[in-house]
Amino acid sequence: MKKTILITGCSSGIGYCVAKALHERGYRVFATARRQESVDMLRAEGLESFYLDLTDSNSIHWAFEEVMRRTDGELYALFNNGAYGLPGAVEDLERDALRVQFETNVFGWQELTNLAIPVMRRQNYGRIIQNSSVLGFVSLPFRGAYNASKYAIEGLSDTLRLELKGTKVFVSLIEPGPIASQFRINSVKALAKYVDVDKSFHREKYQGVLKRLNTKGPAVPFTLPPEAVLKRVIHALEATNPQPRYYVTFPTYLFGVLKRLLSTRVLDVILAKSGSN
């Protein structure tokens, strides 16, 4: 029997790469996306795909029930990946902006995860893989909403891992640094929608943020292709005892070490400088 996996955010980048590669590896992949044109593209490429909007509970429940219908109630793995980053100074982020960031990046993931857990408990096996970020354990300026959402995912995942201890349901966090994707393009759109740059105290700094986000090619050093994440996902799926955390890219390893070794004040100096580049 093929191992089954439900993946969110498969229209491009990491989700698309992982869905295609696992399909070729022999998994039965349910590749979901929030735009119908993305669903059509995935189907045309031979994947089982359907609509899933992480901000819509009805959509989440329908998609999960569709997986259950197609698999006779079985699910080996869930890869929570669909997310976006809202840039902006914390003081410029209104309640609605933060709410939408958390609806997609946190609440939708947890709602879907909570549907999967009883299935995995009943069958006594399963893998829950969360695509977090280096910004899930260190913070950079002008990434407050995204930082907060990833910190929340880290906290929920760590707690869930403890609560599932003793079962054969494993929870793993993937923590990438810069990965080549459509992430920057979506961030520019989010900034324009939720932040009034011209009225902000940080108006001039936003010009630097926009310049970085609109850069063609890698915006920061050490950017890797999504296949770097795929490698960790495969290990989390297939290892007998998968790791709780998987670092991806040099910046993630670097900041992981610095966070353990340096004081908060010294680390703040480095992060402030990194965030201004």
Side-chain angles (χ1 to χ4, degrees):
M1 180 181 293
K2 288 186 175 182
K3 290 182 177 178
T4 56
I5 181 168
L6 170 59
I7 306 175
T8 64
C10 295
S11 61
S12 63
I14 293 169
Y16 176 77
C17 171
V18 171
K20 288 280 290 182
L22 291 182
H23 175 70
E24 292 168 1
R25 198 176 177 87
Y27 284 80
R28 185 177 183 186
V29 177
F30 299 101
T32 68
R34 64 180 179 84
R35 293 191 300 271
Q36 187 58 46
E37 58 266 30
S38 299
V39 172
D40 294 340
M41 173 197 72
L42 292 162
R43 287 175 177 170
E45 296 185 12
L47 291 164
E48 292 184 71
S49 181
F50 40 84
Y51 174 78
L52 194 161
D53 183 346
L54 288 164
T55 68
D56 182 351
S57 287
N58 290 332
S59 171
I60 291 169
H61 282 258
W62 181 90
F64 190 80
E65 289 167 7
E66 181 65 12
V67 172
M68 293 295 96
R69 185 184 68 80
R70 296 188 187 192
T71 65
D72 293 326
E74 187 273 346
L75 180 65
Y76 175 69
L78 169 64
F79 181 35
N80 281 313
N81 167 72
Y84 78 99
L86 168 61
V90 171
E91 66 189 87
D92 291 334
L93 300 174
E94 296 183 354
R95 179 187 291 254
D96 285 346
L98 287 170
R99 180 185 293 114
V100 173
Q101 179 79 107
F102 271 69
E103 286 286 354
T104 298
N105 290 17
V106 182
F107 302 152
W109 286 27
Q110 196 58 49
E111 187 169 9
L112 188 55
T113 300
N114 286 350
L115 292 174
I117 289 171
V119 173
M120 294 179 178
R121 279 189 184 278
R122 182 174 64 249
Q123 62 197 21
N124 197 33
Y125 61 84
R127 306 289 166 103
I128 297 167
I129 305 172
Q130 312 274 57
N131 196 26
S132 181
S133 170
V134 61
L135 298 185
F137 62 86
V138 296
S139 299
L140 291 179
F142 297 96
R143 280 81 154 183
Y146 186 71
N147 273 134
S149 71
K150 290 303 183 182
Y151 271 64
I153 284 298
E154 297 259 336
L156 288 167
S157 299
D158 285 343
T159 305
L160 183 59
R161 188 179 65 253
L162 295 172
E163 293 169 351
L164 290 171
K165 188 174 178 60
T167 74
K168 293 184 179 180
V169 180
F170 297 95
V171 180
S172 296
L173 286 156
I174 311 290
E175 295 171 324
I179 298 292
S181 69
Q182 297 294 311
F183 192 85
R184 296 203 313 270
I185 295 173
N186 294 330
S187 293
V188 171
K189 294 177 181 178
L191 178 63
K193 183 175 181 178
Y194 290 107
V195 177
D196 190 339
V197 171
D198 292 333
K199 293 182 179 179
S200 171
F201 174 84
H202 300 283
R203 181 174 59 255
E204 293 182 3
K205 291 184 178 179
Y206 278 125
Q207 302 310 314
V209 172
L210 285 168
K211 182 179 179 181
R212 177 181 59 80
L213 291 174
N214 285 313
T215 299
K216 291 184 178 180
V220 293
F222 310 110
T223 297
L224 294 180
E227 285 77 10
V229 176
L230 168 65
K231 180 179 177 181
R232 272 59 167 197
V233 171
I234 290 173
H235 191 277
L237 287 171
E238 299 181 359
T240 302
N241 188 24
Q243 298 175 23
R245 280 178 165 76
Y246 291 87
Y247 284 4
V248 187
T249 77
F250 175 75
T252 309
Y253 283 97
L254 175 63
F255 284 122
V257 171
L258 294 180
K259 187 176 176 69
R260 290 193 296 272
L261 297 179
L262 302 180
S263 70
T264 299
R265 288 181 177 178
V266 174
L267 185 59
D268 278 354
V269 173
I270 297 171
L271 292 170
K273 183 175 179 61
S274 299
S276 64
N277 293 333

